[in-house]
Amino acid sequence: MNVGIVGVSGAVGETLLALFERHEPETTRLQLFGSKRSAGRRVDYQGSGLQVQEFGVERVSDCEVLFLCVSGDFAKKYARELAKRSIVIDNSSALRYDEDVPLLVAPVNAAAYCGQRLLANANCSTAVALMALAPLEALAGIESVQLATYQAASGAGRPAMDELVEKTSGFMGYGVDDTSAHFRHNLAYNVIPQIDQFQENGYTKEEMKLVWELQKIMQRPDIKVSATCVRVPTLRSHAEAITVRLRRAVSLAEVREAWGHGLSRGPGQDAGSGGLRVVDEPGEYLYPMPLHSSGQYAVEVGRLRHNLVYGDSGLDFFVSGDQLLRGAALNAYEIYCLTQGRAFPSAV
Amino acid sequence: MNVGIVGVSGAVGETLLALFERHEPETTRLQLFGSKRSAGRRVDYQGSGLQVQEFGVERVSDCEVLFLCVSGDFAKKYARELAKRSIVIDNSSALRYDEDVPLLVAPVNAAAYCGQRLLANANCSTAVALMALAPLEALAGIESVQLATYQAASGAGRPAMDELVEKTSGFMGYGVDDTSAHFRHNLAYNVIPQIDQFQENGYTKEEMKLVWELQKIMQRPDIKVSATCVRVPTLRSHAEAITVRLRRAVSLAEVREAWGHGLSRGPGQDAGSGGLRVVDEPGEYLYPMPLHSSGQYAVEVGRLRHNLVYGDSGLDFFVSGDQLLRGAALNAYEIYCLTQGRAFPSAV
């Protein structure tokens, strides 16, 4: 098996490489591609190293599977051409809303994959939310979803994470330093209610991605979704406070049951918790947090209770999932597992 | 005028002292009281200093107004007795739900004060939210409120703020240090979806305070309120993502108008923006943030748009307000201004 990763120097590419190192059979031949600038760089892999090659359409033509960990512009320019010869798994948002491109969160909608060669990875906050939402849709049908997110610096890349640590260590008080090379404002000891650009309706593109992608992946264009997306000074897990209105009243026990059995563990596997872990023991002060979910394959869900506005047909809960894993690289790797008929690592 | 502050060594007491230093006529005689342990300590005030005296019911008896910046247990034990001789402004939650005690956010429900001698200051996240909610209740009537909060370390006191800075500077990665003397978990680069104790219904007491206090202050026990309260690694401003369902459709222009004119600026003053500042220029990347609201009297409100679930009768917006000022000391000081028939400093 020949596999290529285009764009390995970013945080997502690095994390994807670590997943290959941990889970991939040794017979897989992995090739790394990058810009002219990064070509020639050696990257640690399985005790030795791999050299980054300059990307070119002909140069990647022997790859049976290609991961694109690069910009949406790159994907728009090359993805369809590359998909003529390779299975292409794109991490950008460029092709997510194209009708012929399945938008996948592997444990959630594996069934949407039926041999297509161009596959899109979902937005990070969408993927984390869906791990908890999809079993509820199956359980009782969702009327509406309201989300407020607590999104980590990693969503803006490795240099953004480094900047947050640096500016936090050197923090001199509010108002002393409002600059940032990676966010709209200094994120140190701050929260920023803007991720991606503003749209005409007053929502940011990140907020609208949640709307569009939840609707597409759940195949429910009628579901009403509203979100506020906020960058917070955490490093690599996105947390989300989620309110769901269901079509019928449910008990909390039913919900926990659905979360335990409502996700795919891979092609040919029994359904199971598929990368979702219920962490909900208030008495022990255990609930989802970036502190615990960072570096973990599983998305944590907890703080489950009936919503006080909607009553027994409404639920409130809190999720936290690693942005680089479920929100990006792990999801990409599991889409690849899906194309190869292999079980998902998050379900192990 | 003789004024006493009981409990001046905490972050709220310190901030209250700074407000007195800035706004109070020199003729006011300020006395500070504390525990036996802090008695004798000198505190900077107006270029010279004030000595903390040991608290005793007799010792405070010449104070016409007394601020209690101490625990709920202290308030339960002493507040009603002290109110026989002094006007008592209590910052704890102990008496907030007693029927004969007005629960006040000065610019919001000044009218609830009619000469009572025992007055309760609202919870910090309630006070910040109400500055934006009260004008909407007057505009169109509120059906329901959903809130997700981004609450700062200051809510747990000065030592908690110091711990956050220390643990963040020394952060070695997730999972290395899960300890905290002030929060349930290490808050560095983390968010914690628990503030105060869990109640039987799965909500925390902080979340239920929002329910109880919004209902009491708006005199609308029928308003449905549901909240998720989350501690985030910021220092002294609480931010909140708020969704409101109104009784009728409103335009965003109507809402901005209501925010500009819907709050009290003090007894005998015209109504105005009373400590609420609309910061809502997405094109300029301006919206409410702890970075800008910390240290400011005004609560910032922005990110206004119609909610995508509720349509034109639903609103989403984001607020950020200094927890030590509007959420505590400034509100206490303005309750005092109310008793003295003076304009509120936040409205100047």
Side-chain angles (χ1 to χ4, degrees), chain B residues 65-77:
Chain B
V65 178
L66 270 177
F67 290 88
L68 306 186
C69 306
V70 280
S71 71
D73 287 342
F74 183 98
K76 271 187 197 145
K77 188 166 176 187

Side-chain angles (χ1 to χ4, degrees), chain A residues 4-9 31-41 51-56 59-60 67 69-70 74:
Chain A
I5 302 177
V6 185
V8 80
S9 58
Q31 296 182 78
L32 310 181
F33 301 94
S35 63
K36 196 165 189 171
R37 204 176 38 144
S38 50
R41 194 163 74 87
Q51 193 162 39
V52 178
Q53 307 166 57
E54 188 180 344
F55 170 81
R59 291 204 178 107
V60 302
F67 291 88
C69 305
V70 279
F74 182 98

Side-chain angles (χ1 to χ4, degrees), chain A residues 149-150 194 203 207 287 310, chain B residues 149-150 194 287 303 306 310:
Chain A
T149 70
Y150 302 71
Q194 178 187 4
Y203 285 79
E207 288 159 358
Y287 24 70
Y310 296 136
Chain B
T149 70
Y150 303 72
Q194 177 187 5
Y287 24 69
R303 290 290 332 263
H306 283 114
Y310 297 136

Side-chain angles (χ1 to χ4, degrees), chain A residues 118-186:
Chain A
L118 181 51
L119 308 167
N121 191 353
N123 175 257
C124 45
S125 47
T126 308
V128 169
L130 266 171
M131 295 295 288
L133 287 172
L136 303 181
E137 165 68 0
L139 173 69
I142 292 176
E143 285 272 334
S144 66
V145 187
Q146 311 245 21
L147 311 96
T149 70
Y150 302 71
Q151 295 185 227
S154 58
R158 174 78 57 195
M161 297 165 75
D162 294 342
E163 182 193 279
L164 172 61
V165 171
E166 192 183 308
K167 285 196 177 261
T168 306
S169 302
F171 186 73
M172 303 289 287
Y174 293 110
V176 177
D177 172 17
D178 290 4
T179 66
S180 168
H182 302 282
F183 306 105
R184 286 291 170 195
H185 300 274
N186 186 354

Side-chain angles (χ1 to χ4, degrees), chain B residues 290-305:
Chain B
L291 179 73
H292 295 150
S293 64
S294 296
Q296 304 295 322
Y297 289 176
V299 169
E300 298 183 337
V301 62
R303 290 290 332 263
L304 175 67
R305 68 261 190 222

Side-chain angles (χ1 to χ4, degrees), chain A residues 144-146 148-150 164-166 168-169 171 173-175 177-178 184-186 188-195 197-198 201-204 207-208 211 224-230 232-237 239 241-243 245 282-292 294 303-310 316-318, chain B residues 144-146 148-150 164-166 168-169 171 173-175 177-178 184-186 188-195 197-198 201-204 207-208 211 224-230 232-237 239 241-243 245 282-292 294 303-310 316-318:
Chain A
S144 66
V145 187
Q146 311 245 21
T149 70
Y150 302 71
L164 172 61
V165 171
E166 192 183 308
T168 306
S169 302
F171 186 73
Y174 293 110
D177 172 17
D178 290 4
R184 286 291 170 195
H185 300 274
N186 186 354
Y189 297 111
N190 190 25
V191 306
I192 306 173
Q194 178 187 4
I195 301 178
Q197 294 302 314
F198 280 97
N201 65 355
Y203 285 79
T204 60
E207 288 159 358
M208 293 312 296
V211 180
K224 288 184 179 174
V225 179
S226 202
T228 301
C229 289
V230 182
V232 301
T234 58
L235 289 170
R236 55 176 289 174
S237 272
I242 304 181
T243 299
R245 182 169 204 172
E284 305 291 318
Y285 313 115
L286 289 175
Y287 24 70
M289 287 191 300
L291 179 73
H292 294 150
S294 295
R303 290 292 331 264
L304 176 67
R305 68 262 191 221
H306 283 114
N307 177 274
L308 298 175
V309 171
Y310 296 136
D316 262 80
F317 51 89
F318 199 73
Chain B
S144 65
V145 187
Q146 312 244 21
T149 70
Y150 303 72
L164 172 61
V165 171
E166 191 184 310
T168 306
S169 301
F171 186 73
Y174 292 110
D177 172 17
D178 290 5
R184 286 292 170 193
H185 300 274
N186 185 354
Y189 297 112
N190 190 25
V191 306
I192 305 173
Q194 177 187 5
I195 301 177
Q197 294 302 313
F198 280 96
N201 65 355
Y203 285 79
T204 60
E207 288 159 357
M208 293 312 296
V211 180
K224 289 185 178 174
V225 179
S226 201
T228 300
C229 288
V230 182
V232 301
T234 58
L235 289 169
R236 55 176 288 173
S237 272
I242 304 181
T243 298
R245 183 169 205 173
E284 305 291 318
Y285 313 116
L286 290 175
Y287 24 69
M289 288 192 298
L291 179 73
H292 295 150
S294 296
R303 290 290 332 263
L304 175 67
R305 68 261 190 222
H306 283 114
N307 178 273
L308 298 175
V309 171
Y310 297 136
D316 262 80
F317 50 89
F318 200 72

